[in-house]
Amino acid sequence: MNMTARASRGGPTRQQRLGIYLNDHLAGATAGVELARRMAHEHRDAPYGETLADLSQEISQDRQALLRVLADLGVPVRRYKAYGAWLGEKAGRVKPNGRLLRRSGLAVVIELEALRLGAQGKAALWRGLLAASAQDSRLDADRLEELLRRAGRQIRTLDPLHARAATTLLFPTAPPEPPSAAAGENSAP
């Protein structure tokens, strides 16, 4: 059964589906902005601090662009979704990490992965809206292409940051400790 048939029998209309879709992306963008801002602040003195600050600014601008798309399409913002995502990002900070009062090094790897997933989702959104722009003149194809290119640049920026963090944390370059004398005595020849 196609979506039009379902909508005619009491299912969501095209505009309602569009509203759900865009508001779900807005919720994700809200969480992404909060995460990117926090990471930029926490790592401002790191060698990659400026890169995170630039990403944070772009992610915030992307959220604003999405809000403009919602307005252009006449889709109301469902604030409860954005507030829920904002709260979820804050709650996500409270998790067991093997340390009582401070963050573990693993947090950076996971957070960079979350930002990359967000950029991939955002790219899919812009790609979908770009495809739909041929049928809906309210969508600015040039702007959507620009946003899609920026999402691609963000992914290409995040990949080496993630690789560096993962390598540093999971496979440090320190030489392995030599086996203890006691272990050597008990091992088979």
Side-chain angles (χ1 to χ4, degrees):
M1 163 185 347
N2 68 32
M3 295 300 273
T4 306
R6 189 174 347 153
S8 67
R9 289 192 285 181
T13 64
R14 180 185 92 53
Q15 187 69 12
Q16 289 169 328
R17 287 190 310 268
L18 183 62
I20 292 166
Y21 179 69
L22 293 177
N23 274 286
D24 285 353
H25 272 280
L26 181 60
T30 300
V33 166
E34 288 302 310
L35 176 59
R37 282 181 182 158
R38 182 173 49 79
M39 288 185 72
H41 177 74
E42 287 179 0
H43 302 284
R44 65 185 171 276
D45 296 328
Y48 50 88
E50 187 174 331
T51 301
L52 287 176
D54 292 344
L55 277 170
S56 174
Q57 183 177 1
E58 285 184 5
I59 291 167
S60 181
Q61 291 168 353
D62 292 343
R63 183 180 182 280
Q64 291 303 313
L66 179 53
L67 284 168
R68 281 192 300 278
V69 168
L70 269 82
D72 292 346
L73 296 174
V75 172
V77 172
R78 302 294 180 213
R79 298 205 186 283
Y80 69 89
K81 285 188 177 190
Y83 290 137
W86 179 88
L87 185 59
E89 191 282 328
K90 305 294 185 223
R93 298 177 189 188
V94 182
K95 59 186 174 288
N97 64 7
R99 301 201 177 163
L100 185 59
L101 298 175
R102 56 192 168 105
R103 295 166 45 84
S104 75
L106 189 56
V108 146
V109 174
I110 300 298
E111 290 167 350
L112 287 168
E113 290 173 2
L115 287 178
R116 189 181 193 290
L117 287 170
Q120 286 178 285
K122 182 170 43 183
L125 166 69
W126 302 139
R127 199 174 295 111
L129 292 175
L130 183 58
S133 71
Q135 296 177 2
D136 194 324
S137 62
R138 299 174 296 173
L139 293 167
D140 181 346
D142 292 336
R143 179 68 176 139
L144 291 168
E145 286 176 0
E146 177 187 328
L147 290 164
L148 180 57
R149 281 191 300 274
R150 181 159 65 185
R153 283 192 309 270
Q154 290 169 0
I155 291 167
R156 290 187 299 277
T157 298
L158 286 162
D159 280 346
L161 290 177
H162 178 266
R164 179 175 162 183
T167 301
T168 300
L169 178 70
L170 303 173
F171 301 99
T173 57
E177 293 184 27
S180 68
E185 294 171 5
N186 295 332
S187 61

